[in-house]
Amino acid sequence: MTRPPVRAVWTDFGGVLTPPIPRDLETFCRRTGIPADAFRTAMAAVAAPYGGDLMAPLDTPLLTEDEWAARMNVRLRELGVEADLTGFGDRWFAGRETNHAWLDHLRTLHDQGVFVGLLSNMPPAWDRHWRRMVPPDGLFDGLALSFRVGVRKPQRGIFEAAAEMAGVAPGECVLVDDIEANCVGAEAAGWQAVHFTDTDTAAAALARRLARPAGMGSAAA
C-alpha cells in the first residue's frame, strides 16, 4: 500500500535529540560512582509494580521524582550501593549533550513549512531541563509529552493526541524514535515511523516521505 506524504514530523527527545540513552546512563554512573549494572537492576525493581518499563513510574507520572529517587536509594542499598539520588533530574541533565545536527535538521524542516513536534515520554520534573537543552519556541509546533497527555509511547493514545494536535490524518504523521517498540506502536496507530540510528540516515528516510522537498545536504538527496 502506498503511504501518504508526511505532513507532520514528530521527534523523540532522549536518544534522538541527545546521545543514546545507554551512553548517557554509563556517563551518569561514572560521574556518580554508581555501578551501571546495579543502577539498571534497581530501576527494574522500582518499575516492576508498574508494568516493568524502566521509565514508566516517572513519565506518566506514577511517582514523583522524589518518590522514585527514594525507592531507588533503598534498592541500591539492598545491592550494597550507598547512593543519594535526590535531585536526580538536575544531575542527570548536568553536562548532557544535544544532538545539534538533528536539531538543525528539524529547524530546516520547520523553516520549510513542515509541522515539527516533540513526542516524548517525559517526567514532569524534567520539563525545564529539556527546554534548556532544546528551546522549543520557533521550533516545535506541538508538544505531546507523556506527563501532559497522561499516556505514553508505545500506547495508541499518545499518537492519537499528537495527530489531533497536528491537525492531520494519522498516516500523514511520522515518528522518529530510537526505540523500535515505539516505532511499532506508532505504526499500529496508523502512523509512519523512522527508527533513528543516526542523523544522516534519519534525514534521508524523512526526505523520501515528506509532502514537500526537505533535506540536510547530501544525506537527504
Side-chain angles (χ1 to χ4, degrees), residues 12 27 37 45 52 63 70 74 111 120 135 137 139 154 165 201 208:
D12 181 33
T27 299
D37 287 347
L63 297 173
V74 171
D111 290 348
S120 178
D137 291 345
L139 172 62
M165 287 182 204
T201 303
R208 293 190 292 269

Side-chain angles (χ1 to χ4, degrees), residues 18-35:
T18 74
I21 300 298
R23 191 177 110 188
D24 277 350
L25 178 59
E26 293 289 339
T27 299
F28 173 82
C29 288
R30 282 196 303 272
R31 192 168 65 241
T32 58
I34 302 172

Side-chain angles (χ1 to χ4, degrees), residues 10 144 149 151 156-166 191:
W10 290 91
V149 178
V151 65
R156 177 180 290 268
I158 196 166
F159 300 112
E160 292 175 342
E164 186 175 350
M165 287 182 204
W191 283 37

Side-chain angles (χ1 to χ4, degrees), residues 3 26 29 36 71 79 95 106-107 122 132 145 149 161 171 184 194 198 203 208 215:
R3 293 178 301 211
E26 293 289 339
C29 288
R71 295 188 189 194
L79 295 169
L106 294 176
R107 288 197 178 106
M122 183 72 68
R132 185 183 69 248
L145 307 178
V149 178
V184 171
V194 171
D198 64 80
R208 293 190 292 269

